Amino acid sequence: MASTTKHPVLSRRALNRATLDRQLLLRRAPLGVEEAVAHLLGLQAQNTKPPYYALAARLEGFRPEQLSDLMESRAVARIVTMRSTVHTHTAQDAVALRRLVQPGAIDRELAIFVARKGLDGVDLERLAVLSRELVEERPRTPKQLREELLKEWPHADPQSLSLAARCLLPLVQVTPRGLWGRGGQVALTTTDAWFGDGVESAERSGEKSGEGEESAESDRTVLRYLRAFGPASVKDMQSWCGLTRLAEAFERLRPQLLVFHNERGTELFDLPDAPRPDEDTPAPPRFLPEFDNLLLSHADRTRVVTPEIRSRTWQGNRAFSVFLLDGLLAGLWHLDEAKDRTTLTIEPFAPVTRAERAELAAEAERTLRIMTPPGTSYDIVHKDPSEQAA
């Protein structure tokens, strides 16, 4: 049960600065790429380029080839985890976090496929065994996997078969998918086959882990989540990972955590040694990719996104790339990558000052220098808010 003790109140601006610091967005961090991916508990990777832009906004001296090399060496990989979406994780987290979140959104997604009757007559245990054999024989595209599974269940819905396999098994998207400057369609194999003996098997660890080990894993992840996204509430973390009933883990950890309230009275937890900068700490502009986890990892997103602009960052199922000004989401940006020239267009939601415009231009130029090949010509275009309304 939550304590009735009166706790210090953190303003929205104080929460903003604390979260930006944890997210490596107040200043670029001198971290290695693999260390940063682990600290951030993965990077949203619905598309192939966002993880690279996410790191370009956060790391000192980052070059896209650094992440690409880690993917090729299998130190990091793309896999469905939090919220049943694709993330780029370290090898260890690809196994551990997938195992942790399996009972959440991933199992709920599988239940939806079953409820739609597309898997009538399909033995899910047999589906998992056969799918494992197929993708461990050689990586297969979803289409190839469907075609093989249809031989066993010709009357099943083809799409449901391959998506159910993705839910039942921890399937990695193998390279060259996701490599910088290259490309490739999605092809899948298991974490066991991709990582080998160097990383504990998701299935073997699942077989031997009891309730105590599951609790310990939950507790470790709570602490890591707070390190990367805190201060945060129970519902914040549940929104991040797609799990429910995490209050028990927070209660176990309460004696070693600090407790605050936000301005609405919601209880927030944090690590005693985690940074909580002064709310007047400068926050430089940052260009973030679509689906950046900064914007998706709290139930209450007002620490970064004001309610009046939240609907302007999406169109249907499509999310736009956004930029931050003074720590808050302030507009959109997009790239036009022609053969011999790249143009970055900045679209603020409200008029910006001359100084803010100059800061945005400097950050845009830095982003382009990082993310385009040496010698590439580029332009930076500022679009006035009045032009957008017209």
Side-chain angles (χ1 to χ4, degrees):
M1 182 177 296
S3 169
T4 57
T5 304
K6 187 174 181 179
H7 298 293
V9 174
L10 292 174
S11 68
R12 187 183 76 169
R13 189 173 173 88
L15 283 173
N16 173 273
R17 293 309 194 257
T19 306
L20 292 179
D21 200 322
R22 317 290 171 86
Q23 283 287 296
L24 315 179
L25 290 167
L26 278 187
R27 63 197 68 79
R28 283 183 168 85
L31 295 179
V33 172
E34 188 173 0
E35 182 183 0
V37 174
H39 166 76
L40 295 165
L41 287 105
L43 304 165
Q44 264 276 2
Q46 295 289 82
N47 297 315
T48 57
K49 289 186 177 180
Y52 294 92
Y53 281 94
L55 292 172
R58 290 171 165 89
L59 296 186
E60 186 179 290
F62 173 73
R63 294 298 307 170
E65 295 80 8
Q66 295 170 321
L67 177 59
S68 196
D69 289 348
L70 287 172
M71 294 187 68
E72 206 156 20
S73 70
R74 308 191 186 187
V76 302
R78 296 165 54 86
I79 185 172
V80 172
T81 55
M82 279 81 74
R83 304 179 298 277
S84 199
T85 58
V86 179
H87 279 69
T88 295
H89 286 295
T90 64
Q92 294 288 347
D93 279 347
V95 172
L97 289 177
R98 171 56 189 252
R99 179 174 67 243
L100 180 76
V101 303
Q102 181 72 42
I106 296 174
D107 279 353
R108 289 195 296 273
E109 185 179 23
L110 177 61
I112 290 171
F113 300 140
V114 173
R116 288 175 178 168
K117 310 299 184 184
L119 296 174
D120 280 355
V122 176
D123 181 332
L124 294 182
E125 289 189 12
R126 170 64 181 155
L127 174 62
V129 169
L130 181 55
S131 298
R132 171 182 290 281
E133 292 173 354
L134 289 167
V135 299
E136 289 188 346
E137 178 184 50
R138 60 179 174 83
R140 296 179 189 262
T141 68
K143 180 177 182 293
Q144 292 167 339
L145 183 57
R146 286 195 294 271
E147 290 172 347
E148 292 298 322
L149 294 173
L150 280 170
K151 295 175 182 178
E152 183 89 2
W153 297 285
H155 302 298
D157 173 61
Q159 192 80 3
S160 294
L161 285 172
S162 59
L163 289 174
R166 191 189 76 168
C167 291
L168 290 164
L169 297 172
L171 297 180
V172 172
Q173 294 186 7
V174 306
T175 54
R177 179 71 173 176
L179 297 182
W180 186 254
R182 293 170 62 181
Q185 58 187 326
V186 174
L188 305 166
T189 191
T190 63
T191 52
D192 281 352
W194 192 243
F195 299 128
D197 295 334
V199 177
E200 185 183 21
S201 159
E203 290 71 36
R204 288 194 301 270
S205 59
E207 288 171 1
K208 69 182 181 185
S209 62
E211 184 176 338
E213 177 57 31
E214 289 176 7
S215 296
E217 187 65 43
S218 294
D219 292 359
R220 283 192 292 271
T221 307
V222 167
L223 298 176
R224 292 184 64 197
Y225 170 77
L226 293 176
R227 180 77 58 191
F229 295 99
S233 69
V234 175
K235 287 186 177 179
D236 286 333
M237 182 171 174
Q238 290 179 167
S239 294
W240 166 73
C241 64
L243 290 170
T244 58
R245 295 182 289 185
L246 285 176
E248 291 181 6
F250 279 84
E251 288 305 316
R252 284 193 299 270
L253 294 167
R254 183 183 288 271
Q256 58 184 283
L257 299 175
L258 296 182
V259 182
F260 301 92
H261 284 118
N262 65 15
E263 293 171 329
R264 299 178 180 180
T266 302
E267 193 172 54
L268 305 173
F269 296 87
D270 204 9
L271 304 173
D273 64 342
R276 286 175 293 278
D278 186 277
E279 64 178 37
D280 292 326
T281 301
R286 289 292 184 260
F287 290 86
L288 301 179
E290 66 268 28
F291 300 112
D292 192 279
N293 272 334
L294 173 71
L295 310 176
L296 299 174
S297 300
H298 300 89
D300 180 358
R301 301 175 186 175
T302 58
R303 67 182 69 193
V304 178
V305 184
T306 56
E308 59 269 21
I309 66 170
R310 183 172 175 178
S311 63
R312 300 181 66 177
T313 65
W314 297 78
Q315 187 176 66
N317 290 326
R318 179 188 174 199
F320 300 115
S321 299
V322 302
F323 66 84
L324 306 179
L325 263 182
D326 193 27
L328 295 174
L329 195 156
L332 311 178
W333 67 280
H334 61 86
L335 287 178
D336 179 13
E337 298 178 276
K339 184 176 181 180
D340 57 350
R341 196 168 196 85
T342 296
T343 302
L344 190 155
T345 301
I346 302 169
E347 301 181 8
F349 292 141
V352 298
T353 67
R354 182 176 296 180
E356 288 172 333
R357 184 185 177 103
E359 290 176 349
L360 283 167
E363 180 64 15
E365 185 171 1
R366 177 166 184 162
T367 300
L368 289 166
R369 285 202 309 269
I370 294 170
M371 303 303 289
T372 57
T376 300
S377 298
Y378 52 78
D379 293 315
I380 299 168
V381 175
H382 292 262
K383 193 176 261 191
D384 189 275
S386 61
E387 297 176 33
Q388 299 170 51

